[in-house]
Amino acid sequence: MKVLVIGGGAREHALCRSLSLDPDVTALHCAPGNAGIAEVAEVHQVDALDGAAVAGLAASLGADLVVVGPEAPLVAGVSDVLRERGFAVFGPSARAAELEGSKAFAKDVMAAAGVPTARAYVCTTPAEIDAALDAFGAPYVVKDDGLAAGKGVVVTGDLGIAREHALACGRVVIEEYLDGPEVSLFAVTDGETVVPLQPAQDFKRALDGDEGPNTGGMGAYSPLPWADPKLVDEVLQTVLQPTVDELRRRGTPFSGLLYAGLAITSRGVRVIEFNARFGDPETQVVLARLKTPLAGLLHAAATGTLASLPPLRWSDGAAVTVVVASHNYPGTPRTGDVIEGLAEAAELKDAYVLHAGTARDAEGRVVSAGGRVLSVTATGEDLATARTRAYEAVSRIRLAGSHHRTDIAARAAQEA
């Protein structure tokens, strides 16, 4: 199978790494890729939002499967163009991807499907915003209705900050605050059959102790030793399958990766949000534990044959990812700094470095090229071992001005 992956972040590096280890993959390509992906796949320059250009590249490569990684190309309809040209595509249509592209649309789908979620108001005027903020009270949860690269959500006890964010969004969803720990659960689906993956937890705040501003994610771990063993089955029955069934009923079947962001509240499981693609950095730890070859799973979803696939196989161990971010992230990040120590980090047993925002400079050196630069990932027989290995690998990497959290999976490792 010849596979083309669209995207250039750590999520795509994780996908490419797993695909490169799959004996059924005879050729692996990625566009646009990054400095790390180039070590496991042939990279190509393409405008990931241009469906015709992506389809042209897929045709020139003779791709048997195209995997669309990021949300923006999905919402832009790149999958639709590829499907119209006859390619097997892992990734939903533009209409189905509105589940992530519009928070209001997702709320409407959940209401129709009976999926448990936070009560919410969709607001477009200052008067509606003020009424909604007053109705729910602090802490305030304010979400930009559209795509915002993981930074469109503000959770704050400060009414002024909440109102300022809401007014800046245009169309906004204001909802009740959900207490309890958060869980990310991915599911692969062909529009009918839904195959859940193993749950993970990520860390959104920039600083230790969940302090600082929201980011795209500063680290993750899997499995969750504190979670109810029945959690995955419960979410499949109450959230994932009903959502897929509702979208099919509407004539917009969802095929690809359905990501449920969940809160385990005092009143039960509630959906915080849906995404229409693999999450970053949770993908890094989930795929680290997946033993089933990845290409066959994604191809089955793309071709409507998931029901005939045998059950997924998982490692009994654990995985931890720590994100190394550039100076000033999640503000305007500094780029162009040389990254040293990558080879030394890769020498560690059961640890590896996935590239997110990297490039090569004129001298061929790997340099920072984004806010989240690296996802340092490690596995072990338990969370404590995986965590120790991940941080040992991080300690070998040198990037001027960089920062990372030191408490990823710390509490879970103690409780395990």
Side-chain angles (χ1 to χ4, degrees):
M1 195 187 305
K2 295 177 183 175
V3 183
L4 169 62
V5 177
I6 303 301
R11 162 186 47 227
E12 287 76 34
H13 194 175
L15 288 164
C16 285
R17 179 182 181 274
S18 290
L19 290 166
S20 74
L21 298 173
D22 188 331
D24 288 337
V25 175
T26 54
L28 180 59
H29 303 269
C30 186
N34 62 39
I37 292 172
E39 296 175 7
V40 295
E42 186 178 343
V43 297
H44 307 265
Q45 285 306 309
V46 76
D47 179 354
L49 299 178
D50 184 338
V54 172
L57 175 61
S60 71
L61 298 173
D64 301 302
L65 173 68
V66 183
V67 180
V68 183
E71 60 271 26
L74 293 169
V75 172
V78 169
S79 291
D80 302 84
V81 178
L82 287 162
R83 284 196 181 90
E84 287 163 10
R85 305 276 179 94
F87 291 101
V89 184
F90 184 82
S93 67
R95 288 182 68 192
E98 279 298 291
L99 204 59
E100 175 170 5
S102 168
K103 304 290 190 297
F105 175 75
K107 287 291 186 185
D108 185 61
V109 170
M110 283 188 272
V115 170
T117 186
R119 293 179 299 124
Y121 294 105
V122 180
C123 307
T124 56
T125 68
E128 289 174 346
I129 287 168
D130 289 338
L133 292 171
D134 184 59
F136 288 131
Y140 304 99
V141 181
V142 183
K143 298 181 176 182
D144 191 331
D145 182 49
L147 290 180
K151 298 177 202 159
V153 179
V154 165
V155 180
T156 178
D158 188 313
L159 177 60
I161 292 173
R163 190 171 189 275
E164 181 182 13
H165 181 65
L167 291 169
C169 289
R171 193 170 192 233
V172 67
V173 175
I174 296 173
E175 63 184 41
E176 68 175 327
Y177 175 76
L178 297 174
D179 64 330
E182 295 184 12
V183 173
S184 299
L185 185 61
F186 302 158
V188 172
T189 178
D190 57 12
E192 291 192 21
T193 301
V194 181
V195 178
L197 306 186
Q198 288 288 301
Q201 186 173 58
D202 78 331
F203 294 75
K204 288 291 186 205
R205 298 286 183 172
L207 307 175
D208 285 7
D210 291 330
E211 299 289 332
N214 250 357
T215 71
M218 294 298 291
Y221 69 93
S222 179
L224 312 181
W226 48 267
D228 187 327
K230 301 185 185 115
L231 176 66
V232 173
D233 286 340
E234 179 189 344
V235 175
L236 175 62
Q237 292 166 18
T238 64
V239 173
L240 299 169
Q241 191 72 57
T243 300
V244 169
D245 291 345
E246 172 62 20
L247 286 166
R248 188 174 68 252
R249 187 190 67 75
R250 293 178 179 218
T252 56
F254 188 105
S255 167
L257 195 289
L258 178 58
Y259 166 151
L262 309 165
I264 313 301
T265 77
S266 53
R267 294 170 294 148
V269 175
R270 298 287 185 272
V271 175
I272 301 169
E273 65 176 356
F274 282 124
N275 290 331
R277 39 72 193 178
F278 279 103
D280 182 344
E282 300 98 318
T283 301
Q284 289 84 304
V285 291
V286 173
L287 292 186
R289 297 185 56 227
L290 179 65
K291 294 175 77 171
T292 298
L294 184 61
L297 173 63
L298 303 187
H299 191 265
T303 55
T305 57
L306 265 182
S308 63
L309 212 65
L312 299 182
R313 295 180 295 113
W314 296 92
S315 126
D316 291 331
V320 172
T321 287
V322 179
V323 170
V324 176
S326 56
H327 176 72
N328 202 43
Y329 178 79
T332 303
R334 191 175 77 200
T335 59
D337 290 312
V338 175
I339 305 166
E340 298 177 313
L342 292 171
E344 293 94 315
E347 290 170 358
L348 279 167
K349 179 191 175 192
D350 296 326
Y352 49 91
V353 180
L354 298 169
H355 292 228
T358 67
R360 288 197 181 270
D361 66 8
E363 298 173 44
R365 299 174 300 181
V366 178
V367 297
S368 60
R372 291 186 296 171
V373 181
L374 304 168
S375 282
V376 182
T377 303
T379 56
E381 59 270 22
D382 53 33
L383 279 173
T385 306
R387 187 173 182 278
T388 298
R389 287 174 178 161
Y391 277 107
E392 171 60 26
V394 169
S395 74
R396 300 186 178 196
I397 294 167
R398 298 176 297 284
L399 171 61
S402 68
H403 63 97
H404 64 272
R405 283 185 57 161
T406 65
D407 61 347
I408 304 300
R411 185 183 298 175
Q414 291 174 345
E415 294 173 357

